Amino acid sequence: MTRKTLASIPAAILSFVIYLFYTGSLGLFDVITGAIVAVIIGLLVGNIVVENPGKALSIRRGFLMLIYIIWYFLVAETKAHIDVIKRALHPKMPLNPAIIKVPYNVSTDYAMTLIANSITNTPGTVVVDLDYENKYFFVHWLDAKTSDPLKAREIISSKFEEFAKKIFD
Amino acid sequence: MINEILVYVGEALVLIGVFCDIAASIGMLRFPNFYTRMHAATVGTIGGAVVPLIGVALMALGCDWLGTYRFFLAGASIVAGILIMLLAPVGTHVLALAAHRAGLAPKKPLVFDHLEEERARRND
């Protein structure tokens, strides 16, 4: 089997699972139409979205992704939401905004996307721009506790980076 | 029993969503400039849209009288939640980048701005 056909397998599996989830039934009709759609989509986009089929099919990485999503929702999001809601409702509205550069240390596009999306999805930090060559995110931070990029990385993104490295690199 | 638990947990998540939406709209009105308002908007997308969608999915799973439609409702809301999670930050990134590049949004309460320094250094 060539790399190209192998690369279409994870894409096809993902679109099949999403199709079944979306229709919400395991009837014969849905499974057959889902399989046809999944094969077509897999052959069309597999080569573009998947670089390394072994990585995409790894069960360990998928399991880590699941742990990451649960941790992210229960810990990171909750903390950030409570913090920003407190600031919004506080009579004095304590704000200390700044745009700070935060270095990152991952190589693949998927890992970068995961980190940037995680930073933006937690209220209180928004990625404004990024520097490919020197590997910096420029993050708008609602409560800038420090102006040192390395310390900021420790506070903002070190945990996301750890997971992104394990999942996608 | 398990159905009731699912419905109550779902309703609690929808309540959290309502609270987040109200807080986000108050923040949207009170925060001083465009960039800080964006943080309030994030509270509205994750706490105010994704969390209630998961709650709706749990509620639908707990409602027996919906028949087979409950799986359709639950699956559709979970997929919608995941799509919002993936796509909302893209809009936020692009809006923030455009506002910063055009320089139209006032930056007044900003304490320091590394991006501005970086841009000035690149233009030299």
Side-chain angles (χ1 to χ4, degrees):
Chain A
M1 227 192 298
T2 59
R3 222 197 103 257
K4 198 174 166 184
T5 35
L6 256 177
S8 61
I9 291 173
I13 290 174
L14 188 64
S15 59
F16 185 63
V17 169
I18 290 175
Y19 188 96
L20 284 189
F21 246 85
Y22 199 78
T23 53
S25 81
L26 279 173
L28 191 64
F29 177 76
D30 289 313
V31 171
I32 291 173
T33 47
I36 294 168
V37 169
V39 168
I40 292 171
I41 288 180
L43 289 175
L44 277 178
V45 303
N47 212 23
I48 306 166
V49 297
V50 180
E51 273 173 14
N52 186 343
K55 249 193 216 172
L57 286 171
S58 153
I59 293 169
R60 191 176 59 85
R61 286 171 197 268
F63 187 65
L64 274 169
M65 187 79 196
L66 197 69
I67 292 176
Y68 175 67
I69 290 170
I70 291 168
W71 172 83
Y72 180 70
F73 254 99
L74 289 184
V75 182
E77 284 285 5
T78 315
K79 251 198 269 173
H81 271 83
I82 289 169
D83 184 60
V84 172
I85 288 173
K86 240 190 240 162
R87 277 168 212 283
L89 301 181
H90 196 284
K92 280 190 196 137
M93 207 167 54
L95 295 179
N96 185 23
I99 296 182
I100 189 167
K101 58 179 175 185
V102 178
Y104 63 92
N105 194 19
V106 293
S107 47
T108 54
D109 282 354
Y110 278 108
M112 275 160 63
T113 312
L114 180 68
I115 297 174
N117 272 9
S118 300
I119 292 175
T120 304
N121 264 343
T122 46
T125 45
V126 167
V127 176
V128 179
D129 200 353
L130 82 164
D131 186 341
Y132 274 112
E133 285 127 43
N134 306 319
K135 296 200 164 190
Y136 283 121
F137 289 126
F138 291 92
V139 178
H140 185 275
W141 197 2
L142 201 55
D143 174 34
K145 295 189 185 73
T146 166
S147 64
D148 179 30
L150 285 173
K151 268 185 206 150
R153 176 199 200 170
E154 200 65 37
I155 299 170
I156 296 174
S157 68
S158 61
K159 203 78 179 168
F160 302 148
E161 219 177 301
E162 224 173 83
F163 273 104
K165 218 169 191 167
K166 276 190 216 153
I167 295 168
F168 287 118
D169 262 12
Chain B
M1 181 65 196
I2 190 108
N3 285 347
E4 276 163 21
I5 292 172
L6 280 174
V7 171
Y8 286 134
V9 171
E11 279 170 353
L13 286 179
V14 173
L15 263 180
I16 291 172
V18 169
F19 175 69
C20 281
D21 267 338
I22 291 172
S25 40
I26 291 172
M28 206 72 174
L29 290 170
R30 291 191 69 205
F31 280 163
N33 68 357
F34 173 75
Y35 298 102
T36 43
R37 280 183 184 145
M38 206 120 65
H39 299 293
T42 314
V43 175
T45 35
I46 302 302
V50 177
V51 172
L53 273 172
I54 296 169
V56 167
L58 294 180
M59 268 157 81
L61 282 178
C63 291
D64 266 336
W65 47 270
L66 282 171
T68 50
Y69 286 109
R70 63 195 163 145
F71 297 115
F72 169 67
L73 272 173
S77 20
I78 284 177
V79 171
I82 291 171
L83 284 181
I84 290 175
M85 278 275 288
L86 289 175
L87 299 180
V90 178
T92 315
H93 291 315
V94 173
L95 278 174
L97 181 58
H100 195 276
R101 201 168 270 177
L104 290 174
K107 296 176 183 152
K108 195 170 160 256
L110 272 188
V111 182
F112 54 86
D113 188 346
H114 284 167
L115 184 54
E116 195 70 64
E117 292 163 21
E118 180 82 15
R119 207 160 272 158
R121 197 164 355 127
R122 257 185 246 163
N123 288 338
D124 277 348

